Amino acid sequence: MTPDSFSSWQVWAFLSAVFAALTAIFAKVGVEGINSDLATLIRTVVVLITLSAILFATGQFTQSGPISGKSWLFLLLSGLGTGASWICYFRALKLGPATLVAPIDKLSVVLVALFGAVFLGERPSAYGWIGIALISAGAVLVAVKG
C-alpha cells in the first residue's frame, strides 16, 4: 500500500468496516456482566479521549474559521443519532449474539442509500441498487433463524 492510497475514500471505508467488526466483537465481550448503557458511556469516553489526543497531537484542534449554524445543527443531530445508535447497539449485543446483531445493524447501509436518495438527491446506479437489495437480503438471511 502506497502513501497515496491512504487518501482514497475506499481505503478509509474498508478500515472503518474492519474497526466496526472488531468493535462488535470487543463490545460483546465487554458488555457481559455490566449494564449496556454504562458500557456505552465507557466506550463514548474512550472515543472522546482518543479523538481529542489525536487532534491535539496532529495540530488539528484549531478551526480555520467560524462554524456555521447549519453545521452545528447537523453535527448535533448526527451526534444524537450516533448516541442513540450506540445505546441500541449495546443493548442488542447484551441481549443477542454478535453474529446476528451486527448484520441487522448493517441494514443502516440500506437506510443510508434510501435516505440519501430521498433527502440528498443521490442516485445509485442500477448495479448499486442491486447491491443494496443484496445487502438487505443478506442481513435478513443471516438474522432469520432457520
Side-chain angles (χ1 to χ4, degrees):
M1 207 176 266
T2 67
D4 288 339
S5 64
F6 280 102
S7 63
S8 167
W9 66 265
Q10 292 96 338
V11 171
W12 290 105
F14 177 75
L15 289 171
S16 174
V18 169
F19 288 119
L22 290 172
T23 296
I25 300 305
F26 296 155
K28 178 62 179 174
V29 175
V31 78
E32 289 177 14
I34 68 169
N35 177 281
S36 62
D37 292 338
L38 177 59
T40 303
L41 175 65
I42 293 168
R43 171 182 161 169
T44 303
V45 170
V46 170
V47 169
L48 180 65
I49 291 169
T50 303
L51 188 53
S52 296
I54 290 169
L55 289 173
F56 276 120
T58 59
Q60 297 180 65
F61 216 94
T62 60
Q63 172 62 28
S64 61
I67 300 173
S68 72
K70 179 182 175 183
S71 288
W72 276 111
L73 172 63
F74 282 94
L75 290 172
L76 172 73
L77 291 172
S78 176
L80 292 172
T82 297
S85 173
W86 287 3
I87 288 168
C88 295
Y89 188 70
F90 269 66
R91 184 77 44 89
L93 283 174
K94 178 81 173 174
L95 300 171
T99 55
L100 298 180
V101 170
I104 294 171
D105 176 67
K106 295 312 171 217
L107 285 174
S108 63
V109 172
V110 176
L111 295 174
V112 166
L114 295 173
F115 294 164
V118 171
F119 298 116
L120 302 176
E122 297 180 356
R123 299 289 177 242
S125 67
Y127 285 116
W129 284 116
I130 292 169
I132 292 162
L134 289 172
I135 292 168
S136 298
V140 170
L141 287 174
V142 170
V144 171
K145 294 186 178 190

